Amino acid sequence: MLLTTDAPQASPDVQSFVGKDHKLLIAGEWVAAESGKTFAVTNPANGQPLATVSEGDAADVNRAVAAARQAFESGPWHAMTPSERGKLLWKLADLLETHVEEFAEIESLDNGKPRAVAAAADIPLAVDLFRYMAGWATKIEGTTIPISVPYMPGAEFHSYTLREPIGVVGQIIPWNFPLLMAAWKLGPALATGCTVVLKVAEETPLSALRLGQLIQEAGFPAGVVNIVTGFGETAGAALAAHPDVDKIAFTGSTEVGKLIVKAAGNTNLKKITLELGGKSPNIILPDADLPAAIVGASNAIFFNHGQCCCAGSRLFVHRSQFEEVVDGVAEQASQIKLGPGMHPDAGMGPMVSQIQQERVCNYLESGFREGARAVIGGNRSDTDGYFVEPTVLVDTKPEMQVVSEEIFGPVVAAVAFDDPEELIPAANNSIYGLAAAVWTQDVSKAHRLAKQLRAGSVWINCYNVFDAALPFGGYKQSGWGREMGHEAIDLYTETKAVTLQL
Ligand code: ADP
């Protein structure tokens, strides 16, 4: 069902921000791209132009990297104590918290997600992430290590390690959670004392640009955070290949992740962390609390319109309950109201872009050609917005693209299993390993499966539970390294071993 009534207008503040001539943040100044070029950002709910943004490219990336290098090596950021860095991060969190509604509207207009979801999830998670990372700034410690040095008998030493910021970090983020992805990236970089060039997704640059204003208001010194808007093939590629960038932290497609690795290998072997695609198995065992599992399975795939790298896109259900679960998830889907994210009743907004809508629909058509059947959904909506109906597919085979490839849309493939012995190999049969879930009331079974599943996150009787303290990232081609938790801190530092002969 598509909501056809008009969505409310954004608040005057948001309208005025969105209507600005958006520039790049470099060395503490808002500047136009050197080329003078701009590009239009589209409102995915109606296909109309939403904003005009500077089109940064290699020349602007060079300027931004130089600013980040200078801020890293000298000046107030370089001299700042960990406690002062923590305070700035906390202040940023406080500022963001006073603008939740405003950011939710920006996110809804730019990305298409329901405003209420952004206000309840995206923005508070970003606030919490900055606070969590603020706490880490003063807790980045080395160790003292007793050493033996067998070829220097009798000599005595004092050895210890220092954990030092990795340096200038290029961060390239996607469009599915624009503000939250910026927070996941900026938080640990700033807590550790790195400086940043942030390349936001071309589809959704606005919330990061507004965050840039708050970063200035919080008092971060010039050049610590630089924000470049522009395209992946130009600005993103230039950042990945830049010889003076010490690390790239990337979230996006596995395909582009491989390009980033290549670019680093061809230049300065910069460090890399990658958070990539997924095709996550969501397993309902016969002894599960079925009503809860059905709601959970629906949320697992339909949250954020399925535009989540950890979406529960392969639903495994025992054959004895297959029909009941499929009907239940379809019933949940039927209750989701599609509409502009700004509409108060919208449970699901449009896909982020026409390209993404096409991509999802092409997958659906390939599935139908190969014999898959939609129990519900399966179509795009006939409007100017980029809507796709929530869809439950059955009659699939493991080799179909809709089962093996990441669709990144509201499409779940439900698969029946008979033999529990075959379940784990089937669930692990993916090039990805980002997330998985198990629904069961048997605690031992739950933990056994959690151990056997090859995935960076395993949820038991829940799905999509995120916390700033929990590491998130993937096995296999879902990525390298982890976001959040202390693991993220480790990945923004180098370890230096210092040895003194007494
Ligand atoms: P999607 O296909 O879902 O848009 P991408 O992986 O293409 O995901 O995009 C994620 C981020 O990577 C975006 O900020 C995009 O601009 C950037 N990007 C795309 N191509 C490249 C590239 N060749 N090099 C560096 N960054 C890129």
Side-chain angles (χ1 to χ4, degrees), residues 172-175 199-203 230-233 236-237 240 250-253 256 259-260 356 359 408:
I172 302 176
I173 57 171
W175 42 257
K199 207 304 267 172
V200 296
E202 46 271 49
E203 295 84 352
F231 294 97
E233 301 74 24
F250 171 75
T251 298
S253 60
V256 174
L259 292 177
I260 305 257
Q356 190 59 19
R359 205 182 115 117
F408 224 63

Side-chain angles (χ1 to χ4, degrees), residues 67-69 71-72 77 167-170 189-190 193-197 223-226:
R69 174 61 60 194
F72 181 69
W77 183 249
V168 173
V169 182
L190 298 175
C194 295
T195 57
V196 174
V197 177
V224 172
V225 177
N226 305 276

Side-chain angles (χ1 to χ4, degrees), residues 437-456:
V438 184
W439 298 81
T440 176
Q441 305 206 51
D442 180 331
V443 175
S444 327
K445 226 184 263 175
H447 289 296
R448 202 159 44 239
L449 260 67
K451 205 168 153 193
Q452 292 169 326
L453 286 161
R454 305 266 304 149

Side-chain angles (χ1 to χ4, degrees), residues 245-268:
V245 168
D246 298 301
K247 167 184 164 118
I248 291 281
F250 171 75
T251 298
S253 60
T254 293
E255 190 191 344
V256 174
K258 288 179 183 177
L259 292 177
I260 305 257
V261 170
K262 217 180 260 178
N266 287 341
T267 51
N268 61 343

Side-chain angles (χ1 to χ4, degrees), residues 145-159 499 501:
I145 304 174
I147 62 170
S148 307
V149 199
Y151 57 86
M152 294 177 76
E156 288 187 69
F157 300 94
H158 172 54
S159 289
T499 297
Q501 185 163 6

Side-chain angles (χ1 to χ4, degrees), residues 88-149:
L88 281 180
L89 272 166
W90 198 277
K91 190 159 174 202
L92 179 60
D94 284 348
L95 280 171
L96 189 55
E97 200 168 38
T98 59
H99 294 278
V100 171
E101 286 305 323
E102 179 191 343
F103 273 88
E105 287 189 0
I106 294 172
E107 217 66 325
S108 177
L109 290 171
D110 204 10
N111 164 281
K113 64 179 70 197
R115 189 203 55 75
V117 172
D122 298 51
I123 323 299
L125 280 168
V127 169
D128 200 49
L129 188 288
F130 284 130
R131 293 217 173 103
Y132 173 83
M133 290 299 172
W136 266 115
T138 48
K139 295 162 197 72
I140 300 165
E141 298 167 347
T143 48
T144 53
I145 304 174
I147 62 170
S148 307
V149 199

